[in-house]
Amino acid sequence: MKPYLKKYAAKYVAWLLATALPAACPATLMAQLPEAIEPIEAPFDMPQMARPEFPDHTLSIAKTGARQGKLSTKSIQKAIDRTAANGGGTVIVPAGKWLTGRIELKSNVNLRIDEGAELHFSGQVDDYLPAVPTRNEGVDIISTGAMVYANGAKNIAITGKGRLVAPRRDCQLMRRAIGGISDSVEQMPLAERVFDGRGGAKVFLPVFFGPINCEQILVEGVTFERSLFWNIVPVYCRNIIIRGVTVNSHGHGRTDGIDIDSSTDALIEYTTLDCGDDCFTLKAGRGNDGVDRARPTENVVIRHCRVKRGVGGLTIGSETAGGIRNVYACDVVMEAPRYPIYMKTRRPRGGGCENITLERLHIKSCAGTAIQFDMLGSRRWVGSLADRLPARPVGKLTPKFADITFKDVTIDSCRTLISAKGLPEQPIENLKLCNVKAPTTRMTLQDVGTITIE
């Protein structure tokens, strides 16, 4: 959109929203988790999802030597390895408090954390070594990986009504943590991105549950408490079901709830997130690595879910290099995130998003903007690339946002309805709003191409 038309377009869109649209239908509140996975309906070709199935064999971690009050990593891993070697089954964490370091799921194993069970994780760096392949903030590295890790596994699960509890934030892991991916790390050859903690060196924090290169994943019923970093983060995965899960990490920075990263065919339902950062988040790598790998996040359905608090309620980005497409969220209640809808990227991130449909959302309150687009970022992270002008040439690292629909959205409280900053060389295109109800029609639009009000 040309700059001299912005103010007139904003006024026109505001008038249409205020006068032409009927009241939005309230989003369906979360119901009790149904036993069966209901058929999936989406505005794209989404495969139907089925739970992984496991043999009837069960093995309690107490049978392989785990003891309450004692670090039991080896005993828990022994139960997992033995079950996998016997063709698969369920490893049971019975009621009680159990202490462990990093454990690794293997194919055909369901880790069941029973009601009354608490699986507490160590805060010592050595309990997450040796270093393993992982991804941190969109960049492939070798470091601590995850508290519950899997690599190349098929048919895995974490289920039950118990809790996974991270260590306190004054632990050694936090004291030796690298704060985030720097430009120097991103520019290293992959073989040199090894952060293994040797000799007291720093490491990248482990995510809570971090499968990589896995298929047929189920996370159901459990609660994740007090994470140090991101919570549930499948990377390069396929066929993911997350249902009936609770994440409690509010008050702690950088604790995203669920990050679907360069993964396909994911269903998230009946899940409640209360986070210190973004809640339901979609990512696909960043920069040259992410663009060259070309691993998109696609075919994602989020339904019957709840956001309590966080920065972004439903977030896309800012790592978008592989592309994020075919996303459908419906019947989601958001209580008080800062930005209920937050779509963000940066000039050097690449990729972008397309074919995103969000409908039957109920946003109860937010501190500022209900729908936030930001393709520029801040000078703190990308220097002068955060400046709108001059327009840059369009190249492999120029992201694009297009084909995004909001339908039947009710917003009870917000100061601004939409704030959108596109790129002058790549404006946000084909933004649709249908049946949106809000207490304000205030908008700020910058480098936004086509907006349609139905």
Side-chain angles (χ1 to χ4, degrees):
M1 181 177 291
K2 295 181 179 180
Y4 70 85
L5 291 177
K6 289 177 197 169
K7 64 179 181 179
Y8 302 108
K11 289 181 179 179
Y12 179 62
V13 172
W15 175 80
L16 283 172
L17 283 169
T19 62
L21 296 179
C25 300
T28 304
L29 292 173
M30 285 179 58
Q32 185 176 359
L33 178 68
E35 183 176 348
I37 296 175
E38 299 158 338
I40 301 172
E41 297 180 1
F44 47 84
D45 187 13
M46 175 74 182
Q48 297 301 311
M49 308 292 285
R51 279 190 189 88
E53 295 184 356
F54 302 93
D56 291 337
H57 174 77
T58 62
L59 178 61
S60 170
I61 62 172
K63 296 290 187 181
T64 53
R67 297 292 182 266
Q68 295 187 52
K70 175 185 175 183
L71 185 67
S72 298
T73 311
K74 291 182 179 179
S75 298
I76 297 171
Q77 193 63 53
K78 183 188 292 186
I80 293 170
D81 294 347
R82 183 179 296 176
T83 299
N86 289 334
T90 299
V91 171
I92 299 172
V93 180
K97 293 184 179 181
W98 309 88
L99 178 63
T100 184
R102 183 181 69 208
I103 54 178
E104 182 173 351
L105 288 183
K106 301 295 179 64
S107 294
N108 301 312
V109 173
N110 171 19
L111 180 65
R112 193 182 82 197
I113 304 171
D114 282 349
E115 188 171 6
E118 296 182 3
L119 192 56
H120 289 252
F121 288 83
S122 162
Q124 298 298 306
V125 171
D126 285 349
D127 292 330
Y128 298 88
L129 301 179
V132 293
T134 185
R135 185 186 248 190
N136 190 290
E137 295 182 346
V139 175
D140 291 347
I141 60 169
I142 305 236
S143 196
T144 58
M147 295 180 178
V148 182
Y149 180 72
N151 188 354
K154 295 183 179 180
N155 216 56
I156 58 175
I158 303 176
T159 64
K161 297 182 179 180
R163 303 195 306 158
L164 296 91
V165 184
R168 294 186 176 277
R169 298 185 75 81
D170 60 356
C171 66
Q172 186 187 70
L173 273 170
M174 289 296 293
R175 292 194 297 271
R176 288 171 56 182
I178 301 171
I181 294 290
S182 64
D183 288 343
S184 60
V185 171
E186 188 174 354
Q187 291 163 10
M188 285 180 183
L190 180 59
E192 296 179 13
R193 297 180 200 156
V194 179
F195 305 88
D196 58 10
R198 292 182 182 178
K202 290 192 172 184
V203 294
F204 283 95
L205 286 171
V207 301
F208 221 145
F209 174 46
I212 184 169
N213 301 311
C214 294
E215 297 182 19
Q216 294 175 271
I217 302 163
L218 173 67
V219 188
E220 185 174 54
V222 294
T223 296
F224 292 83
E225 299 277 3
R226 201 175 67 202
S227 62
L228 299 181
F229 188 40
W230 299 352
N231 281 271
I232 303 171
V233 192
V235 176
Y236 305 138
C237 292
R238 181 180 295 274
N239 296 333
I240 305 155
I241 300 172
I242 302 169
R243 61 194 314 262
V245 169
T246 301
V247 171
N248 295 318
S249 62
H250 182 73
H252 305 297
R254 301 180 73 216
T255 55
D256 289 8
I258 297 172
D259 294 80
I260 306 297
D261 192 349
S262 289
S263 296
T264 62
D265 301 340
L267 171 65
I268 306 169
E269 63 177 7
Y270 300 98
T271 286
T272 298
L273 304 183
D274 190 15
C275 301
D277 207 330
D278 296 331
C279 295
F280 296 96
T281 310
L282 307 177
K283 299 178 179 290
R286 72 193 246 186
N288 284 296
D289 271 11
V291 170
D292 293 341
R293 285 184 180 275
R295 294 288 299 270
T297 284
E298 59 186 347
N299 298 343
V300 179
V301 171
I302 302 168
R303 64 185 185 183
H304 308 302
C305 287
R306 178 187 179 198
V307 169
K308 296 181 72 175
R309 294 167 294 184
V311 177
L314 199 158
T315 300
I316 290 178
S318 60
E319 297 87 3
T320 56
I324 299 164
R325 55 181 177 260
N326 296 350
V327 177
Y328 179 55
C330 65
D331 301 314
V332 177
V333 176
M334 302 194 189
E335 294 183 4
R338 186 183 305 169
Y339 304 118
I341 309 299
Y342 195 11
M343 301 192 182
K344 54 184 175 176
T345 188
R346 309 288 181 259
R347 273 190 172 110
R349 292 290 166 93
C353 71
E354 61 182 346
N355 196 23
I356 314 295
T357 301
L358 313 177
E359 69 173 329
R360 298 194 303 278
L361 309 182
H362 184 185
I363 298 166
K364 293 187 176 182
S365 70
C366 67
T369 303
I371 302 171
Q372 177 92 355
F373 289 84
D374 183 3
M375 299 184 72
L376 287 171
S378 70
R379 270 182 162 262
R380 177 184 178 188
W381 304 116
V382 293
S384 62
L385 290 176
D387 297 341
R388 178 177 177 268
L389 296 175
R392 273 66 172 181
V394 174
K396 67 179 284 190
L397 298 183
T398 305
K400 181 179 181 179
F401 281 1
D403 305 327
I404 302 164
T405 298
F406 301 91
K407 182 180 179 183
D408 297 335
V409 178
T410 297
I411 305 167
D412 294 345
S413 173
C414 68
R415 294 180 181 178
T416 301
L417 178 58
I418 299 178
S419 175
K421 291 190 294 185
L423 303 176
E425 65 269 23
Q426 193 88 278
I428 300 167
E429 290 288 355
N430 197 19
L431 187 61
K432 295 182 180 179
L433 296 95
C434 179
N435 200 20
V436 176
K437 181 181 180 181
T440 179
T441 56
R442 181 182 178 187
M443 299 184 187
T444 58
L445 305 175
Q446 176 177 293
D447 298 310
V448 176
T450 303
I451 297 181
T452 302
I453 308 296
E454 295 180 356

